[in-house]
Amino acid sequence: GRASIDGWILRSGRIFKELGCNVVLPVLPFHGPRRPKHSGPSPSFPSLEMVDNVRGLAQGLSDLRAVLHWVRSQGATAIGVEGISLGGYMTSLVASYEDNIDCVIAGMPAVDFPAVFRRNVPEEFRSRPEYDLLKGPAGELHRVVSPLEVAPMVPREKRYIFAGSADRLCDAVDQVARLRQHWDAPQTLWYPGGHMTGMMRRDVWHFMRSAFKNNGVWAPAS
């Protein structure tokens, strides 16, 4: 939710300058300026509060759809959606509810929050009763906002994924491969690295640029 950081991580500056595209950077619930200003601990998203995660994902999806509808109302000739990590989750969700998108790129996507937490919580937490909730109940609850439960509306040839083969947060098998299978094995770039390190790699940028250009999301220099 901070433009100075998001613009660098998401390559929005290069998308703007090299592809000639207008760029919108939506801020998800409880991020950046959308965090409550009151004193005391603020709610976070995602968190171990599973109901809050469902609400955050549902609100985020609603926000993104509203942004897309506004962009179309401004006369956009082509629209691409790209997100990383939690943004990759949101990208895969919006691809299941909007069909008028020319290109979607899910980077290092999480697709199953309970599984992410089960894999990454500290060892001492695993003996607590709350940990058991991350198994059956949390998984059932998250199905209502899971991109794996809804068929994508964006055609296969317009879907792209990139991810790190050594990602310890969004596991290559437990998270990324499940989305890739659900998306019918679209074009995918696996880079040798962990979470977020891909955003510093040239091959990831070339992959993103090619995905956008091959689907008309660019403005040729006049």
Side-chain angles (χ1 to χ4, degrees), residues 135-148:
K135 300 175 183 177
E140 286 299 309
L141 180 64
H142 267 264
R143 288 183 62 186
V144 299
V145 287
S146 171
L148 304 179

Side-chain angles (χ1 to χ4, degrees), residues 22-28 59-83 87 89-105 153-154 212 217:
N22 291 317
V23 178
V24 179
L25 290 173
V27 178
L28 293 175
Q59 182 63 55
L61 176 61
S62 176
D63 295 345
L64 290 176
R65 296 187 72 186
V67 168
L68 288 172
H69 294 172
W70 176 82
V71 168
R72 293 188 190 107
S73 75
Q74 304 304 300
T77 56
I79 297 176
V81 179
E82 175 236 339
Y89 195 125
M90 299 308 308
T91 297
S92 59
L93 261 185
V94 80
S96 297
Y97 290 90
E98 295 284 333
D99 59 355
N100 193 13
I101 301 175
D102 297 277
C103 178
V104 290
I105 306 174
M153 297 182 68
V154 176
F212 284 136
V217 186

Side-chain angles (χ1 to χ4, degrees), residues 28-45:
L28 293 175
F30 296 115
H31 287 68
R34 299 185 71 179
R35 281 188 175 276
K37 298 298 190 294
H38 58 72
S39 59
S42 298
S44 60
F45 161 63

